[in-house]
């Protein structure tokens, strides 16, 4: 089909094209309280063609692609946009001919369905004082083929494995739940950690039954590595996505190479972290994954780019154009985003707080990149009284403004803590993202509670 | 080549060779999406995506397989998964064929929209929203024409065509160094005038520009339809899922026929809502669609069920069966309206999806709000809204008359005294 597409495109006046094909097989098993709830499989194929005609982008996708139809649809749409559109450009790379495959010790395809069934069955047996336990296992095997008008031809074989546990505990009318999960660009071998994750979720759910809700207000806070991952991703990372710069909708616009944060804060987005849930070899525009320093000792140093944003803003490519599947246009997305560890010991961080809150774990968050206002919810937390962890807390969340909070980071732990394997949503697309981060101290932030 | 109906029938027949019960669902949406960026059209995409989903039951064991290519492999995988699975906790079969309603979910004016027609709509959005203060920073116009085909081993052969037009717009207002964003979306099954959408969004962006710090808490809080729908979806509705009720993962378990929330509020799952975004003739198991009272004047009346969970708990299916899941259709909130002349009105929040659906706790940042006092509106900012949705609904004092729809939830604004304001 590729030859036919090349042949058809040669007859058109086209500045740039890229053709993506994808084959994805997903297997998922879910058990609820020691009984299988669902065993499912998905097999998806598809191809898309994206072209730049004059100043118009056209994109066509089909799950049963026909070369002539794809070219005709993409060209029609691009020409329609060229009549009405604004200036468009593309940053070019050198031609790449690559075949890569992610690491695994035990490929999920070599594991029987029965073994995957037994894994979640065993893990979801109800432990004491838990009235509901749901355990999920998923593997996602992708073959992505990329070709473009520069002559690049890239084949990536990627194996993602993920598991999670949701536990619910109840006493009388009071009910509390906790969710823990882990994912990696690895094989079935990561499930060695499943039972620990189940135990952790159950422990948190049980403990939350005796937790109290903090009094809402402004406090000095410490946030653990997991919540820091969400903070760095949501509050800072989204504002560095350069498509937001093109739409003039990032609170970082105009702050390039300026001191916007504390000198303790150096932040990277790095798609090359080995085996990480947010990693890949080449983005969905055929650009190699890259380690990008987005903040250097508090100075905002780089946006994250696609081919288009790099060209229009005259910046270097960073390999951050990602699409959920071949059915979607690549967007500027993060990968693995983290603060570089500092030199503070966790106990010292706590000791410095007289009356504050320690927030732990994450239930997700959201930011408005235009204003920089954000909100994150923690899994649980502790009050801090006179330099020591005190009462156990639930329903605790953090709110603030990116530019204000980044300035208020006073201490960064000397090591990475737990990470957060999540899915980031943007324009109806979801991609895996990861962060392994240190705990950080913030001198002043709004904590939600009663 | 077989058409979609013939393909569905072929998959059913193939699966029936080994399976005792079979569900087949073919979904074929054709979508054209025009994206906007900084007051201009940006890119145009066209996607054709056929999904073949097969759920089989082999001796009480189930397996589900999905593919986007028509091939016997999708059936073979489902059978293999079922054989590898362990017996379902309970299984009674699938519903028999029944008379189905014919629904209004198709508008030929949407199918007739050409590429230029979509560009005209985008232009109308830009003209309606952008001015010297307001930029339409990002947005999209999406036309979708879908065909859904359901076959079951119990004789269901259902073909349904639907249309949808979705409009998303995010804008930024800037004036005298102040900046405010505003966002809205509309997804409808039939074409309707764009002006109310664009003018409301433009007004929203500029009105909140000069927001002042909220200094004191107020007794009555009005949560407008969009944030109310957002909080309801994430912090309350999962408790009305029959599976969660059965598994002890619902705060409403054991409360049927008791007054749980304010008697001023009624909630329905209504798959028959004319032109409702989730309206359909039957669910994926073949049970006919219906309007199910969940809360009637504050009294818990029912949960949503699929066929098997319903029979297991002595109920009847409410037509909410999916593929091994129970899903809401259109959620309609109705209630009594009472004039409120002094309140804090919440227009938009961020972070509702981080709520705890079991405990119904939420704690969100308020993006846009105003104080309503004697007909005057004063925009305010800098605070959080927290509490339990359970309490917010229990202490509801009014439901607004103007109903809007977000994510399939059709509701007016909720006025309540059951939430907390956290000043920063």
């Amino acid at each position: 089909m590729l030859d036919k597409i090349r042949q058809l495109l040669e007859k058109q006046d086209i500045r740039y094209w890229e053709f993506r094909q994808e084959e994805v097989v997903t297997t998922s098993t879910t058990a609820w309280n020691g009984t299988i709830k669902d065993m499912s499989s998905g097999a998806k194929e598809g191809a898309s063609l994206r072209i730049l005609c004059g100043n118009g982008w056209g994109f066509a996708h089909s799950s049963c692609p026909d070369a002539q139809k794809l070219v005709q649809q993409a060209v029609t749409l691009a020409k329609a946009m060229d009549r009405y559109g604004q200036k468009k450009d593309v940053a070019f790379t050198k031609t790449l001919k690559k075949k890569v495959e992610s690491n695994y010790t035990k490929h999920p395809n070599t594991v029987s369905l029965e073994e995957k069934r037994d894994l979640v069955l065993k893990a979801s047996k109800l432990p004491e004082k838990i009235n509901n336990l749901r355990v999920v296992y998923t593997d996602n095997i992708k073959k992505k083929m990329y070709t473009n008008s520069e002559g690049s031809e890239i084949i990536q074989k990627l194996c993602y494995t993920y598991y999670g546990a949701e536990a619910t505990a109840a006493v009388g009318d009071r009910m509390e739940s906790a969710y823990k999960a882990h994912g990696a660009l690895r094989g079935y071998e990561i499930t060695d950690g499943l039972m620990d994750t189940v135990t952790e979720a159950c422990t948190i759910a049980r403990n939350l039954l005796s937790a109290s809700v903090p009094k809402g207000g402004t406090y000095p806070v410490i946030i653990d590595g997991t919540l820091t991952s969400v903070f760095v991703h949501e509050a800072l990372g989204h504002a560095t996505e350069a498509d937001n710069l093109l739409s003039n909708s990032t609170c970082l616009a105009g702050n390039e190479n300026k001191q916007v944060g504390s000198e303790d804060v150096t932040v990277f987005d790095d798609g090359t972290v080995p085996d990480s849930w947010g990693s890949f070899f080449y983005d969905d525009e055929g650009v190699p994954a890259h380690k990008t320093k987005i903040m250097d000792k508090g100075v905002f140093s780089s946006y994250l780019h696609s081919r288009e944003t790099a060209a229009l803003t005259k910046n270097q490519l960073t390999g951050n154009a990602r699409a959920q599947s071949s059915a979607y246009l690549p967007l500027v997305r993060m990968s693995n985003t983290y603060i570089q560890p500092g030199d503070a010991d966790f106990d010292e961080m706590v000791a410095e707080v007289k009356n504050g809150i320690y927030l732990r774990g994450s239930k997700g968050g959201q930011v408005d990149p235009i204003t920089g206002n954000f909100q994150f919810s923690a899994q649980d937390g502790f009050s801090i009284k006179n330099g020591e962890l005190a009462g156990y807390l639930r329903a605790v969340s953090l709110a603030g403004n990116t530019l204000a909070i980044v300035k208020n980071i006073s201490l960064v732990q000397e090591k990475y803590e737990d990470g957060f394997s999540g899915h980031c949503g943007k324009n109806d697309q979801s991609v895996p993202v990861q962060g392994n981060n240190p705990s950080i101290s913030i001198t002043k932030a709004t904590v939600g509670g009663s | 080549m077989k058409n979609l109906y013939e393909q569905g029938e072929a998959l059913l027949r193939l699966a029936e060779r080994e399976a005792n019960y079979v569900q087949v669902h073919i979904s074929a949406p054709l979508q054209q999406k025009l994206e906007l960026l900084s007051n201009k059209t940006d890119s145009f995409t066209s996607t054709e995506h056929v999904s073949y989903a097969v759920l089989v039951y082999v001796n009480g064991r189930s397996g589900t397989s999905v593919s986007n290519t028509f091939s016997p492999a999708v059936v073979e995988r489902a059978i293999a998964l079922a054989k590898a699975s362990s017996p379902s906790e309970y299984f009674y079969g699938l519903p028999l064929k029944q008379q189905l309603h014919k629904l209004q979910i198709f508008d030929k004016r949407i199918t007739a929209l050409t590429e230029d027609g979509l560009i005209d709509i985008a232009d109308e959005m830009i003209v309606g929203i952008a001015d010297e203060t307001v930029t339409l920073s990002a947005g999209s116009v999406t036309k979708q024409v879908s065909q859904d085909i359901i076959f079951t081993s119990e004789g269901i052969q259902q073909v349904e065509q639907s249309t949808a037009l979705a409009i998303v717009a995010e804008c930024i207002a800037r004036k005298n160094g102040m900046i405010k964003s505003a966002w809205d979306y509309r997804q409808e099954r039939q074409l309707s005038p764009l002006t109310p959408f664009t003018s409301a969004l433009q007004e929203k962006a500029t009105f909140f520009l000069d927001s002042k710090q909220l200094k004191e808490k107020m007794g009555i809080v009005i949560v407008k339809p969009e944030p109310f729908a957002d909080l309801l979806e994430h912090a309350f509705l999962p408790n009305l899922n029959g599976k969660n009720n059965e598994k002890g993962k619902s705060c409403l378990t054991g409360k049927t026929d008791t007054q749980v929330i304010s008697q001023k509020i009624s909630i329905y799952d209504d798959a028959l809502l004319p032109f409702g975004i989730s309206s359909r003739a039957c669910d994926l198991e073949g049970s006919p669609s219906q309007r199910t009272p969940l809360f009637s004047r504050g009294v818990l009346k029912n949960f949503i069920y699929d066929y098997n969970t319903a029979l297991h708990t002595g109920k009847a299916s409410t037509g909410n069966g999916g593929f091994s899941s129970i899903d809401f259709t259109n959620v309609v909130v109705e209630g009594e309206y009472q004039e409120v002349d002094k309140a804090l009105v919440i227009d938009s929040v961020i972070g509702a999806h981080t709520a705890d659906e079991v405990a119904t706790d939420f704690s969100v940042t308020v993006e846009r709000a105003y104080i309503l006092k004697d007909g005057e509106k004063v925009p305010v900012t800098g605070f959080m809204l927290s509490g339990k949705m359970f309490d917010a609904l229990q202490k509801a004092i009014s439901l607004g008359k103007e109903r809007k729809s977000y994510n399939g939830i059709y509701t007016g604004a909720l006025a309540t005294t059951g939430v907390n304001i956290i000043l920063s």
Side-chain angles (χ1 to χ4, degrees), chain B residues 395-417:
Chain B
K395 294 177 181 170
I397 53 176
S398 170
L399 192 81
K401 289 179 192 165
E402 190 192 349
R403 193 164 81 175
K404 294 188 80 174
S405 117
Y406 290 94
N407 274 352
I409 298 173
Y410 294 73
T411 183
L414 178 79
T416 180
T417 56

Side-chain angles (χ1 to χ4, degrees), chain A residues 179-372:
Chain A
Y179 184 74
K180 297 296 284 184
H182 175 64
L185 185 60
R186 289 288 311 197
Y188 193 76
E189 64 276 7
I190 73 158
T191 59
D192 288 349
L194 173 60
M195 285 313 296
D196 288 345
T197 297
V198 171
T199 304
E200 203 179 344
C202 292
T203 304
I204 294 171
R206 279 188 211 105
N207 290 345
L208 282 169
L209 290 173
S210 58
S212 55
V213 179
K215 183 163 174 49
T218 304
Y219 296 93
V221 301
I222 299 173
I223 62 177
D224 79 339
T226 302
L227 194 57
T228 300
S229 298
V230 180
F231 166 73
V232 170
H233 174 97
E234 295 288 348
L236 192 61
H238 279 298
T240 69
E241 293 169 341
D243 49 352
N244 288 327
L245 177 66
L246 293 186
S247 59
N248 205 5
S249 50
T250 164
C251 59
L252 287 172
N255 285 298
E256 297 82 2
N257 300 312
K258 288 184 184 166
Q259 188 83 36
V260 295
S262 147
E263 288 190 0
D264 294 313
V265 182
T266 294
V267 183
F268 294 95
D269 182 83
D270 185 359
T272 70
V273 176
D275 307 335
S276 179
W277 180 244
S279 294
F280 44 89
F281 298 98
Y282 298 90
D283 74 4
D284 291 305
E285 291 183 332
V287 177
H290 190 255
K291 181 176 179 177
T292 306
K293 191 182 275 187
I294 57 181
M295 187 167 286
D296 186 7
K297 294 180 181 169
V299 175
F300 172 44
S301 48
S302 179
Y303 285 100
L304 302 176
H305 288 287
S306 64
R307 285 181 184 267
E308 181 176 32
T309 65
L312 291 175
T313 62
K314 298 186 170 40
N315 277 295
Q316 296 294 310
L317 283 162
T318 61
N320 287 91
R322 303 176 68 190
Q324 178 174 308
S325 76
S326 65
Y328 295 88
L329 274 175
L331 303 172
V332 182
R333 311 301 297 266
M334 284 167 270
S335 56
N336 308 289
T337 315
Y338 55 91
I339 294 186
Q340 184 172 280
D343 52 15
D345 173 77
F346 180 74
D347 291 340
E348 287 168 16
M349 292 165 75
V350 175
E352 292 217 351
V353 179
K354 196 167 185 181
N355 179 25
I357 308 279
Y358 170 47
L359 295 94
R360 202 170 63 162
S362 172
K363 288 183 168 179
Q366 193 177 351
V367 67
D368 176 353
I370 299 165
T371 58

